Amino acid sequence: MNTNTIDNIKRFKDHDDYYAEPLDSSILQLANGESGNSSSNSELEGLLHNTLLFHISGNSSPLWLGIAKPTSGPSWLFTGYYASPYETKNKIESWNKLESTSTKNSLPWLVIGDFNSILHDNEKYSTQPLDSAEANIFSNKILDLDLNDLGTVGCPFTWSNKRSDPSLTEQRLDRGLTTEFWILLYPNSTISNLLAIGSDHHPIFLNPNPSWHTGKIPFKFFGPWLDHKDCKYIIAECWQTNLSGSSAFLIARKLKDIKMKLKVWNKEVYGNIKTNIEESKQHLLWLQENYFRADRSTALKTAMQLLRDWQDIEEHFWKTKSRDRFIKLGDKNTSYFHITAKCRTRRNRIDTIQDNKGNWIEDYQELKFHQPLHHDGHC
């Protein structure tokens, strides 16, 4: 094992909390293609930090596959990846290996490694322009695989040719890509580009951030509420209340009353969408099996309409949350909207900020209480 690998392992061990310990030497050798064992697909297991059982299931260039089995929660597939560094056609051949994995896999999926290509101009520092054709192919490949870029924290580049200006080139060749179902398991995950020591690549470090918690969410009026008769009744009732005081006071007081009553109503009635759908289904099922009176047809139609109303509310709710305007109402793709909303929430989260001394703050508690910089209007 080379010196750079050993240095990086020591640095990863500095992260005591929530991180996996380095794999045992036989697994590291297998991952680096150094194993002398001809049976590269032999079953090896390592216990990571007592919380994650990692089962190596394959090692064939350019992929290293493993199944992560947490002590709680579902298993997921991990792929360590290395793409061809040569011409675009060679890169496409190595990217296609991911397609084979994707078609055989039904687990939440995480892919981390060196993709030897970039997506945008801001992922490159060089006098040479971006290869737009290759970037488009790479982007389309990510879309075809239904993968999402986890983004990066720290240095924006992960590789350098280590030359002097103007020949210096730096690029973000290493990244983490995941399916949306993996993001639902670890919604707070971030990837940090660590310091490169003696290597042309920066190590990239995955942090699931299990201690992250969202703060209080401010009240926002939710548009689909207006589709429910109770919402309009609550607004009308509060607005018609007789109060004394100035016009500004009356408006502020009535708006506050509307806000408080809508919050309670949303929590007790509207917010229990899944409960209402399940109760509507059970009621409809009971009518179908037990109700045989003269008005059976009317009762079934009423129960079916109530179920459809709640299903439409659920779909409208998640469609609004996801801000997706391209799928027509009626497709009942609520699971898609739910996942999309979760992914958008993750994109909108602030993982790190820079203080006035240029230091990057990543700790959640420090982020909560850090005072933002005051700018004088100049860039």
Side-chain angles (χ1 to χ4, degrees):
M1 196 180 301
N2 60 42
T3 304
N4 291 336
T5 302
I6 295 173
D7 287 343
N8 287 334
I9 292 173
K10 290 178 179 177
R11 290 160 60 201
F12 281 118
K13 287 194 68 175
D14 291 338
H15 298 274
D16 295 326
D17 298 329
Y18 313 118
Y19 303 99
E21 293 290 338
L23 299 174
D24 110 349
S25 59
S26 62
I27 296 178
L28 281 170
Q29 289 171 1
L30 178 62
N32 291 319
E34 300 171 5
S35 174
N37 189 347
S38 60
S39 177
S40 61
N41 290 329
S42 61
E43 296 180 352
L44 297 175
E45 293 182 346
L47 186 63
L48 308 187
H49 210 330
N50 300 320
T51 60
L52 187 69
L53 189 65
F54 201 80
H55 177 83
I56 297 178
S57 59
N59 177 32
S60 60
S61 180
L63 306 178
W64 174 60
L65 302 177
I67 303 296
K69 300 179 180 179
T71 53
S72 62
S75 298
W76 47 273
L77 177 67
F78 169 77
T79 298
Y81 182 72
Y82 177 73
S84 171
Y86 304 113
E87 297 180 2
T88 301
K89 64 178 183 179
N90 301 108
K91 295 179 181 180
I92 293 175
E93 290 177 4
S94 57
W95 293 340
N96 287 341
K97 295 289 184 67
L98 289 173
E99 287 186 349
S100 176
T101 302
S102 177
T103 56
K104 299 174 184 177
N105 173 51
S106 59
L107 296 173
W109 188 22
L110 167 67
V111 186
I112 292 182
D114 183 357
F115 289 82
N116 270 310
S117 191
I118 59 175
L119 293 170
H120 311 290
D121 284 321
N122 60 5
E123 294 183 348
K124 181 175 184 177
Y125 177 87
S126 175
T127 57
Q128 300 299 316
L130 171 73
D131 186 340
S132 299
E134 183 176 290
N136 287 335
I137 295 173
F138 184 33
S139 177
N140 290 332
K141 184 65 65 177
I142 294 174
L143 290 174
D144 291 342
L145 294 170
D146 290 328
L147 295 173
N148 301 271
D149 195 332
L150 285 176
T152 186
V153 175
C155 178
F157 312 114
T158 65
W159 173 84
S160 170
N161 64 1
K162 292 185 171 292
R163 297 179 183 175
S164 302
D165 290 330
S167 301
L168 176 65
T169 295
E170 295 179 286
Q171 299 183 86
R172 184 191 173 209
L173 301 182
D174 308 82
R175 67 185 72 230
L177 303 176
T178 74
T179 58
E180 291 173 337
F181 289 106
W182 192 92
I183 292 177
L184 290 181
L185 295 178
Y186 305 98
N188 299 323
S189 298
T190 57
I191 285 187
S192 301
N193 296 334
L194 304 182
L195 183 64
I197 302 176
S199 172
D200 56 353
H201 276 267
H202 293 253
I204 62 175
F205 186 71
L206 175 69
N207 183 356
N209 293 305
S211 60
W212 276 80
H213 301 286
T214 56
K216 292 184 178 180
I217 301 175
F219 175 81
K220 294 181 181 179
F221 186 86
F222 190 56
W225 284 346
L226 290 172
D227 296 332
H228 198 288
K229 64 180 187 303
D230 289 356
C231 178
K232 296 178 181 179
Y233 175 78
I234 291 172
I235 294 174
E237 182 183 42
C238 291
W239 210 252
Q240 293 169 5
T241 303
N242 291 322
L243 299 171
S244 58
S246 65
S247 298
F249 170 78
L250 294 177
I251 293 175
R253 177 59 186 272
K254 290 180 179 181
L255 287 175
K256 183 176 181 180
D257 289 346
I258 291 173
K259 169 185 171 180
M260 298 305 296
K261 290 191 176 183
L262 284 179
K263 287 178 70 174
V264 174
W265 169 77
N266 178 60
K267 182 177 181 180
E268 296 179 353
V269 180
Y270 190 93
N272 294 324
I273 297 175
K274 287 191 176 296
T275 300
N276 291 324
I277 288 177
E278 187 58 34
E279 289 179 351
S280 298
K281 287 180 178 179
Q282 293 300 322
H283 179 58
L284 178 60
L285 180 62
W286 183 88
L287 289 175
Q288 290 175 341
E289 295 178 349
N290 302 285
Y291 195 82
F292 300 102
R293 298 182 182 179
D295 62 341
R296 173 179 170 84
S297 176
T298 301
L300 288 174
K301 287 181 179 179
T302 302
M304 178 63 74
Q305 186 58 51
L306 180 62
L307 174 59
R308 287 173 177 168
D309 288 344
W310 278 112
Q311 287 177 330
D312 288 340
I313 287 173
E314 181 187 38
E315 184 179 20
H316 201 170
F317 174 85
W318 285 114
K319 186 168 185 178
T320 302
K321 282 282 189 179
S322 68
R323 296 184 181 177
D324 194 311
R325 302 295 184 224
F326 300 104
I327 297 181
K328 294 181 180 179
L329 208 63
D331 291 339
K332 300 296 182 287
N333 286 315
T334 51
S335 61
Y336 163 77
F337 295 131
H338 177 75
I339 293 172
T340 305
K342 289 288 186 182
C343 291
R344 185 173 65 84
T345 299
R346 184 188 174 280
R347 287 197 303 270
N348 289 343
R349 189 185 65 243
I350 297 176
D351 298 317
T352 180
I353 54 177
Q354 192 174 31
D355 63 17
N356 55 2
K357 297 181 180 178
N359 300 315
W360 287 97
I361 301 173
E362 299 180 28
D363 181 78
Y364 173 69
Q365 294 299 328
E366 291 185 36
L367 282 173
K368 280 178 61 177
F369 299 106
H370 180 72
Q371 295 296 321
L373 298 177
H374 296 285
H375 295 282
D376 58 4
H378 299 285
C379 296

